[in-house]
Amino acid sequence: MTTREKLDCQEVQALAGAYALDAVTPLEAAAIREHLETCAGCRADVAQMVEVARALPLSVEATPPPAGLKQRILDAIAEDPADAAIVSLPGSMGAPEQTPRRSFWSSRAWPVLAAAALVAAVSVAGYAYNLQQAQPRVYTLHSTAAPTATGQLTYFPREHAAYLTLDKMPTAAAGRTYQMWLIRNGKPESVGTMQPDAAGEADVTLNKDLGGYQQFAVTDEPDGGSAQPTGAQVLSQGL
């Protein structure tokens, strides 16, 4: 009976891209899964590659392949030397039997190229994510309660802060103020009060990370604010 070779971390890392693309042999796949059962580091790396591999078809528009690409790939595979090792294993009668075994380091050309492309995709995906995190997110505020009012909430994820600008807000009644709220899972959290000037303009810096909140709202409250919203909602916007 042929025994499966155990892989170390370096070998699993070399095959991870091909494994994520289902471009390894059943023997290699089984050996990789066995290693992942006891190695958290490799398990995390392989999981990331699998997620990227699943997302790749959705990340670009379908375009026809360049002319001659298929033949170039087939030619590259044909030129790859088949340097399978010969392994001696004990036979049922005690005599050694020779079983050709594919080396983990002599992959076919296309899985190697595919795996290299996947590693590059992981790097590009990480760069794109970091770039996205650095970009401000702008939300435009409108109100049916105050039709003339407009506003803009600009969230800076990296700085964990937001900047609110309001225009043509109606003047709050005597003894009243406007209170701002962030809402997570239906629970509002106050982020302060503000009073627009005579022109209905206001500029407010919110030193608050908006990540995880689903909504931003402004309500009409008594001077000093309320522990929970009690007045009419003047502005509201999903995040």
Side-chain angles (χ1 to χ4, degrees), residues 152-176:
Q152 182 171 288
L153 181 66
T154 305
Y155 171 43
F156 300 89
R158 184 164 291 179
E159 286 75 21
H160 307 294
Y163 186 67
L164 174 68
T165 60
L166 298 174
D167 187 33
K168 298 181 180 178
M169 284 283 288
T171 302
R176 308 289 293 182

Side-chain angles (χ1 to χ4, degrees), residues 86-100:
I86 302 299
V87 181
S88 295
L89 297 171
S92 58
M93 300 302 293
E97 60 182 26
Q98 290 189 332
T99 303

Side-chain angles (χ1 to χ4, degrees), residues 95-122:
E97 60 182 26
Q98 290 189 332
T99 303
R101 174 182 165 273
R102 178 172 177 251
S103 169
F104 285 102
W105 299 104
S106 59
S107 303
R108 291 162 291 176
W110 74 267
V112 173
L113 294 174
L118 182 58
V119 171
V122 171

Side-chain angles (χ1 to χ4, degrees), residues 30-78:
I32 291 171
R33 287 193 293 268
E34 182 179 353
H35 177 86
L36 296 182
E37 289 177 359
T38 57
C39 182
C42 288
R43 191 160 58 244
D45 291 341
V46 170
Q48 182 185 28
M49 287 196 175
V50 169
E51 287 301 312
V52 172
R54 290 174 177 170
L56 283 178
L58 306 176
S59 62
V60 295
E61 295 183 2
T63 56
L69 175 62
K70 178 179 179 180
Q71 189 57 51
R72 289 198 297 273
I73 293 175
L74 293 174
D75 291 342
I77 295 173

